Amino acid sequence: MSSTLSIRAVPSGPPPASIRRRQYGDPCTMVLFGATGDLARKKLFLSVFDLEKKRLLHKNFFLLGVDRQPLTDGAFRDLVREALYQSSDRKFIDEDVWHNLRGRVFYAPADLTQPEGYGAIVERLAAIERDVGEAEANRLFYFAVPPFLFEPIVRNLPASGLAPRLDDPTTRPWRRLVVEKPFGHDLKTALALNALVLETFAEHQVYRIDHYLGKETVQNMLVFRSGNAIFEPLWNRQHISHVQITAAEEVGVEGRGQYYERAGVVRDMFQNHLLQLLALTAMELPTTLSPNDVRDEKVKVLRAIRPLVAGERVSAVRAQYAPGVVRGKAVPGYRDEPHVAPDSTTPTYAALRVLIDNGRWRGVPFYLRSGKRMAKRLTEIAVTFHVPPYLMEGVVGLAPGRQGVAPNVLIFRIQPDEGITLRFEAKVPGTALALTEGSEATSVDMDFTYDDAFGVHLPPAYETLLLDVMLGDATLFTRSDEVSFGWHVTDPLLDHWESHPPERVETYAAGTWGPASADALLQQDGFRWREP
Ligand code: BG6
């Protein structure tokens, strides 16, 4: 049981850092491959729009949408506007801002599998860049396309003259590639893709996006750890008993059955997002916040993860959602979703017990779980400390129903309701302190929310990351070796699961916190999942 102390954390000096805006991006044309697809409509157009609204786009920023459909500039602009209204609250769409942006939005139809398809893009770019100074004619190529298109695009960009390899990162105009996940289907394909990309482009030109790294609260992890003397000394096995990382979604596969059947939850969420959250929590603090120093430390953590499969012992469970009720509405099970096989064994939920074999973390389990159609949309990292040696039993009695003094828990709320909670023990007021009088201790929460402290909406991850690409800051993007070591962690598990299909797929009702086996995974270590 816990109650909430209303302690508000507010910035101590004006003005709040979040309001002192960032530098605006370099002039550039964003060539968006997959411009009529899901990601573009749901996230990317809105991010571009919000950057314009905050005046973070250069006046010579242009958007050139590319896809198969034969659309005119006008039809594409209508599509973008409609998507803006669909992906955001009406009140946030300012028509004056749209008006300023509209004339800088263009479209070129192209078959990206064919070399001839790139001719139309070359022509449109030449026209767009005609009045832009040569050094300002930068190009950002965004791959919001299915994986089968990665290779033809990577091959054709230099061949068509759209983007050559630039070994010197200071060369202007720049050419940068933003590559969406999935980056490969497994280690082998990821290595092949990396090899192809790096044979054609220099690493500094490639931005592998993991949008979780763009979330404000995820970035805050490094600042929190390095900037707070009361926590960093405790950040190790002597003080921390275990860590739970949860990424729960209310939504199901949302019409992406075809992709999801092949991917499953481990490729979709663990190989990238959850391992990144783990790496940021567990890494040594880097010497500087330069992209390579940060990424070097993350890679060391990924390399130190103990294999998830050792002989027949597997430190992971999987399950699939069955019909259930989410927010009072009956929803179908995974097997009833469009483009999903009626006997599919694809997991939509997994929980992993991860051990990191280094001096800081040896013996501290990190439990990772993620699933679709769970009780609530929630992403958090909960760091649980050891129970103090003086249990205070005998000195302070326990509130009714309590098994013992509860450990301190530090919870990083990544979404929604972004903030940090510290749970600690407090004496219940009014009860006596004396042993004989049976005084009581209970858990209370001290809360920091971004909303309260800074009073601003946090920028969506894609907005932050797009601006970073325009500014040439790769800190929040994954380097090729990070991607490979991510696959090193998940590949043996995926191989094991795929070669041992379950006789009966374990299920969990939609709208719940997951299957019974996930509870057992923690119970064997004497822990329980948090039920937020
Ligand atoms: C994507 C996955 O990378 O992340 C989706 O492909 C998932 O399946 C999404 O829904 C979750 O992102 P967020 O930001 O809503 O937590």
Side-chain angles (χ1 to χ4, degrees):
M1 203 205 317
S2 75
S3 50
T4 301
L5 276 186
S6 58
I7 294 180
R8 294 181 65 209
V10 289
S12 58
S18 59
I19 293 167
R20 277 201 313 271
R21 286 309 320 176
R22 301 182 58 185
Q23 183 189 344
Y24 60 77
D26 285 359
C28 65
T29 301
M30 172 172 167
V31 181
L32 176 56
F33 298 123
T36 64
D38 241 32
L39 183 71
R41 289 167 190 257
K42 288 190 181 150
K43 308 270 188 194
L44 300 176
F45 297 150
L46 189 62
S47 300
V48 168
F49 178 84
D50 282 342
L51 287 172
E52 173 71 12
K53 192 162 145 186
K54 293 177 184 164
R55 306 208 178 152
L56 290 170
L57 292 182
H58 194 280
K59 69 177 174 33
N60 283 337
F61 167 88
F62 305 95
L63 172 66
L64 174 61
V66 179
D67 220 323
R68 284 186 75 102
Q69 278 95 311
L71 298 179
T72 60
D73 286 344
F76 181 61
R77 289 169 182 168
D78 292 346
L79 181 149
V80 174
R81 182 168 173 275
E82 191 189 313
L84 289 175
Y85 278 101
Q86 274 168 6
S87 56
S88 176
D89 201 322
R90 277 198 104 70
K91 65 175 184 271
F92 296 124
I93 307 299
D94 182 333
E95 280 293 331
D96 289 341
V97 175
W98 170 240
H99 182 77
N100 283 340
L101 189 61
R102 191 174 189 279
R104 291 185 278 152
V105 174
F106 305 94
Y107 184 81
D111 176 355
L112 295 167
T113 58
Q114 301 303 319
E116 306 79 64
Y118 294 77
I121 308 173
V122 172
E123 273 172 36
R124 287 316 300 268
L125 270 176
I128 292 169
E129 291 168 348
R130 199 165 26 228
D131 299 325
V132 174
E134 202 201 318
E136 294 205 334
N138 301 307
R139 295 174 184 171
L140 185 167
F141 297 94
Y142 199 113
F143 290 44
V145 290
F148 78 92
L149 283 175
F150 286 7
E151 187 176 332
I153 300 178
V154 169
R155 290 194 189 284
N156 281 295
L157 281 180
S160 60
L162 282 167
R165 179 190 183 93
L166 300 176
D167 283 312
D168 177 357
T170 62
T171 307
R172 293 294 176 269
W174 50 253
R175 303 287 181 251
R176 295 178 186 147
L177 277 58
V178 181
V179 186
E180 270 290 337
K181 68 173 250 283
F183 200 85
H185 183 73
D186 51 20
L187 179 61
K188 196 165 143 234
T189 49
L191 287 175
L193 185 56
N194 259 331
L196 171 72
V197 170
L198 294 179
E199 177 182 295
T200 322
F201 296 98
E203 175 72 38
H204 73 85
Q205 292 181 272
V206 186
Y207 291 71
R208 295 171 197 81
I209 206 163
D210 183 320
H211 77 282
Y212 267 55
L213 293 178
K215 293 182 192 277
E216 190 62 42
T217 40
V218 174
Q219 296 171 55
N220 189 44
M221 175 60 91
L222 281 187
V223 174
F224 182 92
R225 286 188 49 197
S226 52
N228 292 296
I230 57 171
F231 290 110
E232 185 52 23
L234 309 183
W235 219 250
N236 56 52
R237 65 193 166 86
Q238 261 121 30
H239 300 281
I240 291 174
S241 75
H242 71 289
V243 178
Q244 295 186 15
I245 303 183
T246 299
E249 298 190 83
E250 264 176 35
V251 293
V253 285
E254 296 187 292
R256 293 160 75 218
Q258 216 162 5
Y259 151 78
Y260 203 87
E261 274 287 84
R262 223 173 108 66
V265 68
V266 172
R267 288 188 180 89
D268 191 48
M269 293 294 289
F270 285 77
Q271 187 275 338
N272 33 66
H273 309 323
L274 272 87
L275 286 181
Q276 285 293 329
L277 297 184
L278 172 120
L280 283 170
T281 311
M283 69 195 258
E284 295 300 315
L285 291 176
T287 321
T288 73
L289 287 179
S290 75
N292 276 336
D293 282 354
V294 172
R295 299 192 282 189
D296 284 348
E297 295 304 337
K298 284 197 281 172
V299 164
K300 284 186 209 158
V301 173
L302 296 175
R303 292 182 59 182
I305 291 178
R306 193 180 294 177
L308 293 166
V309 181
E312 283 308 300
R313 208 183 55 82
V314 182
S315 302
V317 301
R318 56 181 151 169
Q320 197 181 68
Y321 62 85
V325 177
V326 175
R327 287 185 185 262
K329 204 173 137 234
V331 296
Y334 176 68
R335 290 177 172 187
D336 303 320
E337 299 278 10
H339 309 295
V340 170
D343 57 352
S344 167
T345 56
T346 303
T348 60
Y349 173 101
L352 272 48
R353 178 177 181 274
V354 175
L355 292 173
I356 301 171
D357 282 329
N358 64 20
R360 195 189 271 266
W361 296 115
R362 191 178 292 267
V364 179
F366 283 67
Y367 301 102
L368 277 49
R369 64 174 163 168
S370 180
K372 297 231 177 251
R373 285 283 188 229
M374 294 184 66
K376 195 169 163 186
R377 173 173 183 253
L378 173 121
T379 303
E380 66 168 34
I381 301 172
V383 178
T384 302
F385 293 84
H386 289 301
V387 177
Y390 299 109
L391 273 181
M392 300 203 293
E393 279 158 318
V395 178
V396 177
L398 296 169
R402 293 283 301 269
Q403 299 296 312
V405 172
N408 295 140
V409 188
L410 183 61
I411 303 146
F412 295 85
R413 295 192 309 275
I414 292 167
Q415 61 190 27
D417 186 24
E418 293 84 349
I420 297 173
T421 298
L422 177 62
R423 177 162 297 183
F424 59 93
E425 295 296 278
K427 175 180 167 293
V428 176
T431 59
L433 191 58
L435 163 75
T436 49
E437 306 258 344
S439 53
E440 290 177 5
T442 190
S443 298
V444 291
D445 287 349
M446 188 158 65
D447 257 342
F448 149 71
T449 69
Y450 279 82
D451 208 13
D452 262 2
F454 298 104
V456 286
H457 279 294
L458 296 181
Y462 276 99
E463 185 186 316
T464 305
L465 296 172
L466 261 184
L467 184 57
D468 281 354
V469 182
M470 292 179 208
L471 292 169
D473 182 352
T475 314
L476 299 177
F477 293 81
T478 46
R479 204 171 52 190
S480 54
D481 51 347
E482 273 180 86
V483 175
S484 309
F485 281 109
W487 285 116
H488 262 293
V489 174
T490 52
D491 252 20
L493 176 66
L494 290 166
D495 285 349
H496 181 86
W497 277 354
E498 280 156 20
S499 57
H500 296 74
E503 273 173 26
R504 224 189 106 258
V505 176
E506 187 177 6
T507 57
Y508 57 103
T512 64
W513 279 107
S517 60
D519 296 335
L521 190 72
L522 267 70
Q523 271 155 13
Q524 61 183 349
D525 298 333
F527 301 124
R528 290 173 44 198
W529 290 110
R530 276 174 37 76
E531 270 206 22

